[in-house]
Coordinates of all heavy atoms in Angstrom, one line a residue:
M11 N 0.9 -1.2 0.0 CA 0.0 0.0 0.0 C 0.9 1.3 0.0 O 1.8 1.3 0.8 CB -0.9 0.0 1.2 CG -1.9 1.1 1.3 SD -3.1 1.2 0.0 CE -4.5 0.5 0.7
T12 N 0.6 2.1 -0.9 CA 1.4 3.4 -1.0 C 0.9 4.4 0.0 O -0.3 4.6 0.2 CB 1.2 4.0 -2.4 OG1 1.5 3.0 -3.4 CG2 2.1 5.2 -2.7
T13 N 1.8 5.0 0.7 CA 1.5 6.0 1.7 C 1.2 7.4 1.1 O 1.6 7.6 -0.1 CB 2.6 6.2 2.8 OG1 3.7 6.8 2.1 CG2 3.0 4.9 3.4
I14 N 0.6 8.2 1.9 CA 0.3 9.6 1.4 C 1.6 10.3 1.0 O 1.8 10.9 0.0 CB -0.5 10.4 2.4 CG1 -1.9 9.8 2.6 CG2 -0.6 11.9 2.0 CD1 -2.6 10.4 3.8
K15 N 2.6 10.1 1.9 CA 4.0 10.7 1.7 C 4.5 10.2 0.4 O 5.1 11.0 -0.4 CB 4.9 10.3 2.9 CG 6.2 11.1 2.9 CD 7.0 10.7 4.1 CE 6.5 11.2 5.4 NZ 6.7 12.6 5.6
E16 N 4.4 8.9 0.1 CA 4.9 8.4 -1.2 C 4.2 9.0 -2.4 O 4.8 9.3 -3.4 CB 4.9 6.8 -1.2 CG 5.9 6.2 -0.3 CD 5.6 4.7 0.0 OE1 4.4 4.3 -0.2 OE2 6.5 4.0 0.4
H17 N 2.9 9.1 -2.3 CA 2.1 9.7 -3.4 C 2.6 11.2 -3.6 O 2.7 11.6 -4.7 CB 0.6 9.7 -3.1 CG 0.0 8.3 -3.3 ND1 0.0 7.7 -4.5 CD2 -0.8 7.6 -2.4 CE1 -0.6 6.5 -4.3 NE2 -1.1 6.5 -3.1
Q18 N 2.8 11.8 -2.4 CA 3.2 13.3 -2.5 C 4.5 13.4 -3.2 O 4.7 14.2 -4.0 CB 3.2 13.9 -1.1 CG 3.3 15.4 -1.1 CD 2.9 16.0 0.2 OE1 2.4 15.4 1.1 NE2 3.2 17.3 0.4
G19 N 5.4 12.5 -2.9 CA 6.8 12.5 -3.5 C 6.6 12.2 -5.0 O 7.3 12.8 -5.9
W20 N 5.8 11.3 -5.4 CA 5.6 10.9 -6.8 C 5.0 12.1 -7.6 O 5.5 12.5 -8.7 CB 4.6 9.7 -6.9 CG 4.4 9.4 -8.4 CD1 5.2 8.6 -9.2 CD2 3.4 9.9 -9.3 NE1 4.8 8.6 -10.5 CE2 3.7 9.4 -10.5 CE3 2.3 10.8 -9.1 CZ2 2.8 9.7 -11.7 CZ3 1.5 11.1 -10.2 CH2 1.8 10.5 -11.5
V21 N 4.0 12.8 -7.0 CA 3.4 14.0 -7.7 C 4.4 15.1 -7.9 O 4.5 15.7 -8.9 CB 2.2 14.5 -6.9 CG1 1.7 15.8 -7.5 CG2 1.0 13.4 -6.9
K22 N 5.3 15.3 -6.8 CA 6.3 16.3 -6.9 C 7.2 16.0 -8.1 O 7.5 16.9 -8.9 CB 7.1 16.4 -5.6 CG 8.0 17.5 -5.5 CD 8.6 17.6 -4.1 CE 9.4 18.8 -3.9 NZ 9.9 19.0 -2.5
E23 N 7.7 14.8 -8.2 CA 8.6 14.5 -9.3 C 7.9 14.5 -10.6 O 8.5 14.9 -11.6 CB 9.2 13.1 -9.1 CG 10.1 13.0 -7.9 CD 11.2 14.0 -8.0 OE1 11.9 14.1 -9.0 OE2 11.4 14.8 -7.0
A24 N 6.6 14.1 -10.7 CA 5.9 14.0 -11.9 C 5.7 15.5 -12.5 O 5.9 15.7 -13.7 CB 4.5 13.4 -11.7
W25 N 5.4 16.4 -11.6 CA 5.2 17.8 -12.0 C 6.5 18.4 -12.5 O 6.5 19.2 -13.4 CB 4.6 18.7 -10.9 CG 3.1 18.5 -10.8 CD1 2.4 18.3 -9.6 CD2 2.1 18.5 -11.8 NE1 1.1 18.2 -9.8 CE2 0.8 18.3 -11.2 CE3 2.1 18.7 -13.2 CZ2 -0.4 18.3 -11.9 CZ3 0.9 18.7 -13.9 CH2 -0.3 18.5 -13.2
K26 N 7.6 18.0 -11.9 CA 8.9 18.5 -12.4 C 9.2 18.0 -13.8 O 9.8 18.8 -14.6 CB 10.1 17.9 -11.5 CG 10.3 18.7 -10.2 CD 11.5 18.1 -9.4 CE 11.5 18.6 -8.0 NZ 12.5 17.8 -7.2
K27 N 8.8 16.8 -14.1 CA 9.1 16.2 -15.5 C 8.0 16.7 -16.5 O 8.3 16.7 -17.7 CB 9.0 14.7 -15.4 CG 10.2 14.1 -14.6 CD 10.0 12.6 -14.7 CE 10.6 11.9 -13.5 NZ 10.1 10.5 -13.3
S28 N 6.9 17.1 -16.0 CA 5.8 17.4 -16.9 C 6.0 18.6 -17.7 O 6.6 19.6 -17.3 CB 4.5 17.5 -16.1 OG 3.4 18.0 -16.9
S29 N 5.5 18.6 -18.9 CA 5.5 19.8 -19.8 C 4.4 20.7 -19.4 O 4.4 21.9 -19.8 CB 5.4 19.4 -21.3 OG 4.2 18.7 -21.5
K30 N 3.4 20.2 -18.7 CA 2.3 21.1 -18.2 C 2.7 21.8 -17.0 O 3.0 21.2 -15.9 CB 1.1 20.3 -18.0 CG -0.1 21.1 -17.5 CD -1.4 20.3 -17.4 CE -2.5 21.1 -16.9 NZ -3.8 20.5 -17.1
K31 N 2.7 23.1 -17.0 CA 3.1 23.9 -15.8 C 1.9 24.7 -15.4 O 1.2 25.4 -16.1 CB 4.2 24.9 -16.2 CG 5.5 24.2 -16.6 CD 6.1 23.3 -15.5 CE 7.3 22.6 -16.1 NZ 7.6 21.3 -15.3
I32 N 1.5 24.5 -14.1 CA 0.4 25.1 -13.5 C 0.9 26.3 -12.7 O 1.7 26.2 -11.9 CB -0.4 24.2 -12.6 CG1 -0.9 23.0 -13.5 CG2 -1.6 24.9 -12.0 CD1 -1.6 21.9 -12.7
E33 N 0.3 27.5 -13.0 CA 0.7 28.7 -12.2 C 0.1 28.6 -10.8 O -1.0 28.1 -10.6 CB 0.2 29.9 -12.9 CG 1.0 30.2 -14.2 CD 0.5 31.5 -14.8 OE1 0.5 32.5 -14.1 OE2 0.3 31.5 -16.0
E34 N 0.8 29.1 -9.9 CA 0.4 29.1 -8.5 C -1.1 29.6 -8.3 O -1.9 29.0 -7.6 CB 1.3 30.0 -7.6 CG 0.9 29.9 -6.1 CD 2.0 30.7 -5.3 OE1 2.9 31.2 -5.8 OE2 1.7 30.7 -4.1
K35 N -1.4 30.7 -9.0 CA -2.7 31.3 -8.9 C -3.8 30.3 -9.4 O -5.0 30.5 -9.0 CB -2.8 32.6 -9.7 CG -2.8 32.4 -11.2 CD -2.9 33.8 -11.9 CE -2.8 33.7 -13.4 NZ -3.7 32.8 -14.0
D36 N -3.5 29.3 -10.2 CA -4.5 28.4 -10.7 C -4.7 27.1 -9.9 O -5.7 26.4 -10.0 CB -4.2 28.0 -12.2 CG -4.3 29.2 -13.1 OD1 -5.1 30.1 -12.8 OD2 -3.6 29.3 -14.1
E37 N -3.7 26.9 -9.0 CA -3.8 25.6 -8.3 C -5.0 25.4 -7.4 O -5.6 24.3 -7.4 CB -2.5 25.3 -7.5 CG -1.3 25.1 -8.4 CD 0.0 25.0 -7.7 OE1 0.1 25.4 -6.5 OE2 1.0 24.5 -8.3
L38 N -5.4 26.4 -6.7 CA -6.5 26.3 -5.8 C -7.8 26.3 -6.7 O -8.7 25.5 -6.4 CB -6.6 27.5 -4.9 CG -7.8 27.5 -3.9 CD1 -7.8 26.3 -3.0 CD2 -7.8 28.8 -3.1
L39 N -7.8 27.0 -7.8 CA -8.9 26.9 -8.7 C -9.1 25.5 -9.3 O -10.2 25.1 -9.5 CB -8.8 27.9 -9.8 CG -8.8 29.4 -9.4 CD1 -8.5 30.3 -10.6 CD2 -10.1 29.8 -8.8
F40 N -8.0 24.8 -9.6 CA -8.1 23.5 -10.1 C -8.8 22.6 -9.1 O -9.6 21.7 -9.4 CB -6.7 22.9 -10.5 CG -6.4 23.2 -11.9 CD1 -5.3 24.1 -12.2 CD2 -7.1 22.8 -13.0 CE1 -4.9 24.4 -13.5 CE2 -6.8 23.1 -14.3 CZ -5.7 23.9 -14.6
L41 N -8.4 22.7 -7.8 CA -9.0 21.9 -6.7 C -10.5 22.2 -6.7 O -11.3 21.3 -6.6 CB -8.3 22.2 -5.4 CG -8.9 21.5 -4.2 CD1 -8.9 20.0 -4.3 CD2 -8.2 21.9 -2.9
M42 N -10.8 23.4 -6.7 CA -12.3 23.8 -6.6 C -13.0 23.3 -7.8 O -14.2 22.8 -7.7 CB -12.4 25.3 -6.5 CG -11.8 25.8 -5.2 SD -11.7 27.6 -5.0 CE -13.4 27.9 -4.6
E43 N -12.4 23.3 -9.0 CA -13.0 22.8 -10.2 C -13.3 21.3 -10.1 O -14.4 20.8 -10.4 CB -12.1 23.1 -11.4 CG -12.6 22.7 -12.7 CD -11.6 23.0 -13.9 OE1 -11.0 24.1 -13.9 OE2 -11.4 22.1 -14.7
E44 N -12.3 20.6 -9.5 CA -12.5 19.1 -9.3 C -13.6 18.8 -8.3 O -14.3 17.9 -8.5 CB -11.1 18.5 -8.9 CG -10.0 18.5 -10.0 CD -10.4 17.9 -11.3 OE1 -11.4 17.1 -11.3 OE2 -9.7 18.1 -12.3
I45 N -13.7 19.7 -7.3 CA -14.8 19.5 -6.3 C -16.1 19.7 -7.0 O -17.1 18.9 -6.7 CB -14.6 20.4 -5.1 CG1 -13.3 19.9 -4.3 CG2 -15.8 20.4 -4.2 CD1 -12.9 20.9 -3.2
G46 N -16.2 20.7 -7.9 CA -17.4 20.9 -8.6 C -17.7 19.7 -9.5 O -18.9 19.3 -9.6
E47 N -16.7 19.1 -10.1 CA -16.9 17.9 -10.9 C -17.5 16.7 -10.1 O -18.3 15.9 -10.5 CB -15.7 17.5 -11.7 CG -15.3 18.5 -12.8 CD -14.0 18.2 -13.5 OE1 -13.3 17.2 -13.2 OE2 -13.6 19.1 -14.3
M48 N -17.0 16.6 -8.8 CA -17.5 15.6 -8.0 C -18.9 15.9 -7.6 O -19.8 15.0 -7.5 CB -16.6 15.4 -6.7 CG -17.1 14.1 -6.0 SD -16.0 13.7 -4.7 CE -16.5 14.8 -3.4
A49 N -19.2 17.1 -7.3 CA -20.6 17.5 -7.0 C -21.5 17.1 -8.1 O -22.6 16.5 -7.9 CB -20.7 19.0 -6.8
E50 N -21.1 17.3 -9.4 CA -21.9 16.9 -10.5 C -22.1 15.4 -10.5 O -23.2 14.9 -10.8 CB -21.3 17.3 -11.8 CG -22.1 17.0 -13.0 CD -21.4 17.4 -14.4 OE1 -20.1 17.7 -14.3 OE2 -22.1 17.4 -15.4
A51 N -21.0 14.6 -10.3 CA -21.1 13.2 -10.3 C -22.0 12.6 -9.2 O -22.8 11.7 -9.4 CB -19.7 12.5 -10.1
V52 N -21.9 13.3 -8.0 CA -22.8 12.9 -6.9 C -24.3 13.2 -7.2 O -25.2 12.4 -7.0 CB -22.4 13.6 -5.6 CG1 -23.5 13.4 -4.5 CG2 -21.1 13.0 -5.1
R53 N -24.5 14.4 -7.8 CA -25.9 14.7 -8.2 C -26.5 13.7 -9.2 O -27.6 13.3 -9.1 CB -25.9 16.1 -8.8 CG -27.3 16.6 -9.2 CD -27.2 18.1 -9.8 NE -26.3 18.2 -10.9 CZ -26.5 17.8 -12.2 NH1 -27.6 17.1 -12.4 NH2 -25.6 18.0 -13.1
K54 N -25.6 13.4 -10.2 CA -26.1 12.4 -11.2 C -26.4 11.0 -10.6 O -27.3 10.4 -10.9 CB -25.1 12.3 -12.3 CG -25.0 13.5 -13.2 CD -24.0 13.4 -14.3 CE -24.1 14.6 -15.3 NZ -23.0 14.6 -16.2
L55 N -25.5 10.6 -9.6 CA -25.7 9.3 -9.0 C -27.0 9.3 -8.2 O -27.7 8.3 -8.2 CB -24.5 9.0 -8.1 CG -24.6 7.6 -7.4 CD1 -24.5 6.4 -8.4 CD2 -23.5 7.4 -6.4
N56 N -27.2 10.4 -7.5 CA -28.4 10.5 -6.7 C -29.7 10.4 -7.5 O -30.7 9.9 -7.0 CB -28.4 11.8 -5.8 CG -27.4 11.8 -4.7 OD1 -26.9 10.7 -4.4 ND2 -27.1 12.9 -4.2
G57 N -29.6 10.8 -8.7 CA -30.8 10.6 -9.6 C -30.8 9.3 -10.3 O -31.8 8.9 -11.0
N58 N -29.7 8.5 -10.2 CA -29.7 7.2 -10.9 C -28.9 6.2 -10.1 O -27.8 5.8 -10.4 CB -28.8 7.4 -12.3 CG -29.5 8.4 -13.2 OD1 -30.4 8.1 -13.9 ND2 -29.0 9.6 -13.1
K59 N -29.6 5.8 -9.0 CA -28.9 5.0 -8.0 C -28.4 3.7 -8.5 O -27.4 3.1 -7.9 CB -29.8 4.8 -6.8 CG -30.1 6.1 -6.0 CD -30.7 5.8 -4.7 CE -31.0 7.1 -3.9 NZ -30.0 8.1 -3.8
N60 N -28.9 3.2 -9.5 CA -28.4 1.9 -10.0 C -27.4 2.0 -11.1 O -27.0 1.0 -11.7 CB -29.6 1.1 -10.5 CG -30.6 0.8 -9.4 OD1 -30.2 0.5 -8.3 ND2 -31.9 0.9 -9.7
D61 N -27.0 3.2 -11.4 CA -26.0 3.3 -12.5 C -24.6 3.3 -12.1 O -24.1 4.3 -11.4 CB -26.3 4.7 -13.3 CG -25.7 4.7 -14.6 OD1 -24.6 4.1 -14.8 OD2 -26.3 5.2 -15.5
K62 N -23.9 2.2 -12.4 CA -22.5 2.0 -11.9 C -21.5 3.1 -12.6 O -20.5 3.4 -12.0 CB -22.0 0.6 -12.3 CG -22.6 -0.4 -11.4 CD -21.9 -1.7 -11.7 CE -22.3 -2.8 -10.6 NZ -23.6 -3.3 -10.7
E63 N -21.9 3.6 -13.7 CA -21.1 4.6 -14.4 C -20.9 5.8 -13.5 O -19.8 6.3 -13.4 CB -21.7 5.0 -15.7 CG -20.9 5.9 -16.5 CD -21.6 6.5 -17.7 OE1 -22.5 5.8 -18.2 OE2 -21.3 7.6 -18.2
F64 N -22.0 6.2 -12.9 CA -21.9 7.4 -12.1 C -21.1 7.2 -10.8 O -20.3 8.1 -10.3 CB -23.3 8.0 -11.8 CG -24.0 8.5 -13.0 CD1 -25.2 8.0 -13.3 CD2 -23.4 9.5 -13.8 CE1 -25.9 8.5 -14.5 CE2 -24.0 9.9 -14.9 CZ -25.3 9.4 -15.3
A65 N -21.1 6.0 -10.3 CA -20.4 5.6 -9.1 C -18.9 5.7 -9.5 O -18.1 6.2 -8.7 CB -20.7 4.2 -8.6
S66 N -18.5 5.2 -10.6 CA -17.1 5.3 -11.0 C -16.7 6.7 -11.3 O -15.5 7.0 -11.2 CB -16.8 4.3 -12.3 OG -17.4 4.9 -13.4
D67 N -17.6 7.5 -11.7 CA -17.3 9.0 -11.9 C -16.9 9.6 -10.5 O -15.9 10.4 -10.5 CB -18.5 9.8 -12.4 CG -18.7 9.5 -13.9 OD1 -17.9 8.9 -14.6 OD2 -19.8 9.9 -14.4
I68 N -17.6 9.2 -9.5 CA -17.2 9.7 -8.2 C -15.8 9.3 -7.8 O -15.0 10.1 -7.3 CB -18.2 9.3 -7.1 CG1 -19.6 10.0 -7.4 CG2 -17.8 9.6 -5.7 CD1 -20.7 9.5 -6.6
E69 N -15.5 8.0 -8.0 CA -14.2 7.5 -7.7 C -13.1 8.3 -8.5 O -12.1 8.8 -8.0 CB -14.0 6.1 -8.1 CG -12.7 5.5 -7.8 CD -12.6 4.0 -8.2 OE1 -12.6 3.8 -9.4 OE2 -12.5 3.2 -7.3
K70 N -13.4 8.6 -9.8 CA -12.4 9.3 -10.6 C -12.2 10.7 -10.1 O -11.1 11.2 -10.0 CB -12.9 9.4 -12.1 CG -12.0 10.2 -13.0 CD -12.7 10.5 -14.3 CE -11.8 11.4 -15.2 NZ -11.4 12.7 -14.5
E71 N -13.3 11.4 -9.8 CA -13.2 12.7 -9.3 C -12.5 12.8 -7.9 O -11.8 13.8 -7.7 CB -14.6 13.4 -9.2 CG -15.3 13.5 -10.6 CD -14.5 14.2 -11.7 OE1 -13.5 14.9 -11.4 OE2 -14.8 13.9 -12.9
M72 N -12.7 11.8 -7.1 CA -12.0 11.8 -5.8 C -10.4 11.7 -6.1 O -9.6 12.4 -5.4 CB -12.5 10.7 -4.9 CG -13.8 11.0 -4.3 SD -14.2 9.8 -3.0 CE -15.8 10.5 -2.4
G73 N -10.1 10.9 -7.1 CA -8.7 10.8 -7.5 C -8.2 12.2 -8.0 O -7.1 12.6 -7.6
D74 N -9.0 12.8 -8.8 CA -8.6 14.1 -9.3 C -8.4 15.2 -8.2 O -7.5 16.0 -8.2 CB -9.6 14.7 -10.3 CG -9.7 13.9 -11.6 OD1 -8.8 13.0 -11.8 OD2 -10.6 14.1 -12.4
I75 N -9.4 15.1 -7.2 CA -9.3 16.0 -6.1 C -8.0 15.8 -5.3 O -7.3 16.7 -4.9 CB -10.5 15.8 -5.1 CG1 -11.8 16.5 -5.9 CG2 -10.3 16.5 -3.8 CD1 -13.1 16.1 -5.2
L76 N -7.7 14.5 -5.1 CA -6.5 14.2 -4.3 C -5.2 14.7 -5.0 O -4.3 15.3 -4.4 CB -6.4 12.7 -4.1 CG -5.3 12.2 -3.1 CD1 -5.4 12.9 -1.8 CD2 -5.4 10.7 -3.0
L77 N -5.2 14.5 -6.3 CA -4.1 15.1 -7.1 C -3.9 16.6 -6.9 O -2.8 17.1 -6.7 CB -4.2 14.7 -8.6 CG -3.1 15.3 -9.5 CD1 -1.7 14.8 -9.1 CD2 -3.4 15.1 -10.9
S78 N -5.1 17.3 -7.0 CA -5.0 18.7 -6.9 C -4.7 19.1 -5.5 O -3.9 20.1 -5.3 CB -6.4 19.3 -7.2 OG -6.7 19.1 -8.6
L79 N -5.1 18.4 -4.5 CA -4.8 18.7 -3.1 C -3.3 18.5 -2.8 O -2.6 19.3 -2.2 CB -5.7 17.9 -2.1 CG -5.4 18.1 -0.6 CD1 -5.8 19.5 -0.2 CD2 -6.2 17.1 0.2
I80 N -2.8 17.4 -3.3 CA -1.4 17.1 -3.2 C -0.5 18.1 -3.9 O 0.5 18.6 -3.3 CB -1.0 15.7 -3.7 CG1 -1.6 14.6 -2.8 CG2 0.5 15.5 -3.9 CD1 -1.5 13.2 -3.4
T81 N -1.0 18.6 -5.0 CA -0.2 19.6 -5.8 C -0.2 20.9 -4.9 O 0.9 21.6 -4.8 CB -0.9 19.9 -7.1 OG1 -0.9 18.7 -7.9 CG2 -0.2 21.0 -7.9
L82 N -1.3 21.3 -4.3 CA -1.4 22.5 -3.4 C -0.4 22.3 -2.2 O 0.3 23.2 -1.8 CB -2.8 22.7 -2.9 CG -3.7 23.6 -3.7 CD1 -5.0 23.8 -2.9 CD2 -3.0 25.0 -3.8
A83 N -0.5 21.1 -1.6 CA 0.4 20.8 -0.5 C 1.9 21.0 -0.8 O 2.6 21.5 0.0 CB 0.1 19.4 0.0
I84 N 2.3 20.5 -2.0 CA 3.6 20.7 -2.4 C 4.0 22.1 -2.5 O 5.0 22.6 -2.1 CB 3.9 19.9 -3.8 CG1 3.8 18.4 -3.5 CG2 5.2 20.3 -4.3 CD1 3.6 17.6 -4.8
R85 N 3.1 22.9 -3.1 CA 3.3 24.3 -3.3 C 3.6 25.0 -2.0 O 4.5 25.9 -1.9 CB 2.1 25.0 -4.0 CG 2.0 26.5 -3.9 CD 3.0 27.2 -4.9 NE 2.7 26.8 -6.3 CZ 3.5 27.1 -7.3 NH1 4.7 27.7 -7.1 NH2 3.1 26.8 -8.5
Y86 N 2.8 24.7 -1.0 CA 2.9 25.4 0.3 C 3.8 24.6 1.3 O 3.7 24.9 2.5 CB 1.5 25.7 0.8 CG 0.8 26.7 -0.1 CD1 -0.3 26.2 -0.9 CD2 1.3 28.0 -0.2 CE1 -0.8 27.1 -1.8 CE2 0.7 28.8 -1.1 CZ -0.4 28.4 -1.9 OH -1.0 29.3 -2.8
K87 N 4.5 23.6 0.8 CA 5.4 22.8 1.6 C 4.7 22.1 2.9 O 5.2 22.2 4.0 CB 6.6 23.6 2.0 CG 7.4 24.1 0.9 CD 8.6 24.9 1.3 CE 9.5 25.3 0.1 NZ 8.9 25.7 -1.1
I88 N 3.5 21.6 2.6 CA 2.8 20.9 3.6 C 3.0 19.4 3.5 O 2.8 18.9 2.4 CB 1.3 21.2 3.5 CG1 1.0 22.8 3.6 CG2 0.4 20.4 4.6 CD1 1.3 23.4 4.9
D89 N 3.4 18.8 4.6 CA 3.4 17.3 4.6 C 2.0 16.8 4.9 O 1.5 16.9 6.0 CB 4.4 16.8 5.7 CG 4.5 15.3 5.7 OD1 3.5 14.6 5.4 OD2 5.6 14.8 6.2
L90 N 1.3 16.3 3.9 CA -0.1 15.9 4.1 C -0.2 14.8 5.1 O -1.3 14.7 5.8 CB -0.7 15.4 2.7 CG -1.2 16.5 1.8 CD1 -1.7 15.9 0.5 CD2 -2.2 17.4 2.4
E91 N 0.7 13.9 5.2 CA 0.6 12.9 6.2 C 0.6 13.5 7.6 O -0.2 13.1 8.5 CB 1.8 11.9 6.1 CG 1.5 10.5 6.6 CD 2.3 9.5 5.8 OE1 1.9 9.0 4.7 OE2 3.4 9.2 6.3
T92 N 1.5 14.5 7.9 CA 1.5 15.2 9.2 C 0.2 15.9 9.4 O -0.4 15.9 10.4 CB 2.7 16.1 9.2 OG1 3.9 15.4 9.1 CG2 2.7 16.9 10.5
A93 N -0.3 16.6 8.3 CA -1.5 17.4 8.4 C -2.7 16.5 8.7 O -3.5 16.8 9.6 CB -1.8 18.1 7.0
F94 N -2.8 15.3 8.1 CA -3.9 14.5 8.3 C -3.8 13.9 9.7 O -4.8 13.7 10.4 CB -4.0 13.3 7.3 CG -5.3 12.5 7.5 CD1 -6.5 13.0 7.2 CD2 -5.2 11.2 8.0 CE1 -7.6 12.3 7.4 CE2 -6.3 10.5 8.3 CZ -7.6 11.0 8.0
E95 N -2.6 13.5 10.2 CA -2.4 13.0 11.5 C -2.9 14.0 12.5 O -3.6 13.6 13.5 CB -1.0 12.6 11.7 CG -0.7 11.8 13.0 CD -1.5 10.5 13.1 OE1 -1.6 9.8 12.1 OE2 -2.0 10.2 14.2
K96 N -2.6 15.3 12.3 CA -3.1 16.3 13.3 C -4.7 16.4 13.3 O -5.3 16.5 14.3 CB -2.5 17.7 12.9 CG -1.1 17.7 13.3 CD -0.5 19.1 12.9 CE 1.0 19.2 13.2 NZ 1.6 20.4 12.8
T97 N -5.2 16.3 12.1 CA -6.7 16.3 12.0 C -7.3 15.1 12.6 O -8.3 15.2 13.4 CB -7.1 16.4 10.5 OG1 -6.6 17.6 9.9 CG2 -8.6 16.3 10.4
K98 N -6.6 13.9 12.4 CA -7.1 12.7 13.0 C -7.1 12.8 14.5 O -8.1 12.4 15.2 CB -6.2 11.6 12.5 CG -6.6 10.2 12.9 CD -5.7 9.2 12.2 CE -5.4 8.0 13.2 NZ -4.4 7.1 12.7
Q99 N -6.0 13.3 15.1 CA -5.9 13.4 16.5 C -7.0 14.4 17.1 O -7.6 14.2 18.1 CB -4.6 13.9 17.0 CG -3.4 12.9 16.7 CD -3.8 11.5 17.3 OE1 -4.2 11.4 18.4 NE2 -3.5 10.4 16.5
S100 N -7.3 15.4 16.3 CA -8.3 16.4 16.7 C -9.7 15.7 16.7 O -10.5 15.9 17.6 CB -8.3 17.5 15.7 OG -9.4 18.4 16.0
V101 N -10.0 14.9 15.7 CA -11.3 14.2 15.6 C -11.4 13.2 16.8 O -12.4 13.1 17.4 CB -11.4 13.4 14.3 CG1 -12.6 12.4 14.3 CG2 -11.6 14.5 13.1
I102 N -10.3 12.5 17.1 CA -10.2 11.5 18.2 C -10.6 12.2 19.5 O -11.3 11.8 20.3 CB -8.9 10.8 18.2 CG1 -8.8 9.8 17.0 CG2 -8.7 10.0 19.5 CD1 -7.4 9.2 16.8
G103 N -9.9 13.4 19.6 CA -10.1 14.2 20.9 C -11.5 14.7 21.0 O -12.0 14.7 22.1
R104 N -12.2 14.9 19.9 CA -13.5 15.5 20.0 C -14.7 14.5 20.0 O -15.7 14.7 20.6 CB -13.7 16.5 18.9 CG -13.2 17.9 19.2 CD -13.7 18.9 18.2 NE -12.6 19.4 17.4 CZ -12.7 20.1 16.3 NH1 -13.9 20.2 15.8 NH2 -11.7 20.5 15.7
Y105 N -14.5 13.5 19.1 CA -15.6 12.6 18.8 C -15.5 11.1 19.1 O -16.4 10.4 19.0 CB -16.0 12.8 17.3 CG -16.2 14.2 16.8 CD1 -15.3 14.8 15.9 CD2 -17.2 14.9 17.3 CE1 -15.5 16.1 15.5 CE2 -17.4 16.3 16.9 CZ -16.5 16.8 16.0 OH -16.7 18.1 15.6
V106 N -14.2 10.7 19.2 CA -14.1 9.2 19.3 C -13.7 8.8 20.7 O -12.9 9.4 21.3 CB -13.0 8.8 18.3 CG1 -12.8 7.2 18.3 CG2 -13.4 9.2 16.8
Ligands
LIG207 MG1 -12.1 15.7 -12.6

């Protein structure tokens, strides 16, 4: 199983090699765009509960969101594993 840290390292290297360069001002917009695409997939699934195609759309969009989030984390030098661990401890302290 690949860790969040390993995925983050892979994305960092992939963007270095990529011919596609995303400007800093667009990175948050890309994340928001992907969240919008997931909203559309969820809306479509809710209207077609038996349609597996829409369920796979949600999976795809979650992957896209994760890529965009990892890209933002790299930009702001955030270790997502540490960030999530802090959130997890906060949830445990409040709800679990
Ligand atoms: Mg997408």
Side-chain angles (χ1 to χ4, degrees):
M11 183 61 102
T12 308
T13 65
I14 295 172
K15 192 180 285 290
E16 289 166 340
H17 283 306
Q18 195 164 347
W20 181 86
V21 171
K22 189 174 186 175
E23 291 308 309
W25 282 131
K26 279 184 195 168
K27 292 182 209 161
S28 173
S29 59
K30 180 174 177 165
K31 299 299 174 202
I32 301 173
E33 290 185 46
E34 182 175 0
K35 68 179 179 56
D36 292 331
E37 288 175 344
L38 180 60
L39 293 175
F40 273 116
L41 174 61
M42 296 170 77
E43 184 178 315
E44 295 300 347
I45 291 170
E47 288 173 8
M48 189 170 77
E50 181 182 14
V52 167
R53 181 180 56 75
K54 287 179 177 174
L55 180 68
N56 288 343
N58 300 277
K59 291 194 184 307
N60 296 321
D61 197 323
K62 288 188 169 70
E63 180 188 339
F64 294 124
S66 73
D67 284 351
I68 292 172
E69 181 183 69
K70 179 194 174 302
E71 298 309 337
M72 285 190 178
D74 292 352
I75 287 168
L76 189 55
L77 174 64
S78 294
L79 181 64
I80 290 172
T81 300
L82 265 184
I84 292 165
R85 167 72 64 191
Y86 296 108
K87 299 180 174 39
I88 302 296
D89 178 333
L90 277 180
E91 208 152 272
T92 300
F94 185 72
E95 189 58 38
K96 288 178 180 175
T97 298
K98 188 175 140 187
Q99 293 307 319
S100 173
V101 168
I102 289 170
R104 279 195 241 163
Y105 308 114
V106 181

